[in-house]
Structure formats: structure tokens, C-alpha cells
Amino acid sequence: HPRVRRQRQMCIRDRDPSGVLYEHYGDILYRSGEHQEALKMWKKAAEMGGGVSEELNDKIQSGKLSD
């Protein structure tokens, strides 16, 4: 999926990525059907912190993106 690839490149190139960036990337991966990769990104977002959503821990616990 082109949008996912573009977002991935942004994460890789960003010298100071935030947890929010990884959380949103995880959301995109989840919606693209890449649930395991999404979970990895959500966990990375939690480690980084910096403005992540209150729902992030729920995403990690359930392995799902709530609608």
C-alpha cells in the first residue's frame, strides 16, 4: 500500500521521531491488515511517549484498533 510505505519512510528518515508518529503509523498498519506490525509500532510509541493517545495502552493490550 503506497500510503503505508510513505509513512514508513517518514518514520525511518525522521531524526527525532515521536511516539505519536509511531502510534499513527501503527494505526495505518492495522487498517492495512498488518496487525503484528501495528502492535510493534504501538509498543514502540509507548516506549517513546511524547503526546501519545490515552487509548494507546488499550491498543497494546487488545492488539486491536477500536473504532
Side-chain angles (χ1 to χ4, degrees), residues 9-55:
Q9 289 171 348
M10 285 174 49
C11 286
I12 293 168
R13 284 186 296 188
D14 196 332
R15 289 197 174 111
D16 189 24
S18 69
V20 173
L21 182 71
Y22 282 97
E23 181 177 4
H24 289 308
Y25 181 38
D27 295 350
I28 292 167
L29 288 168
Y30 187 88
R31 288 188 177 110
S32 297
E34 297 184 51
H35 299 165
Q36 292 298 331
E37 289 300 312
L39 184 57
K40 289 178 188 176
M41 292 300 112
W42 292 334
K43 288 180 178 179
K44 186 164 183 80
E47 291 173 10
M48 297 181 80
V52 295
S53 74
E54 294 178 10
E55 293 83 21

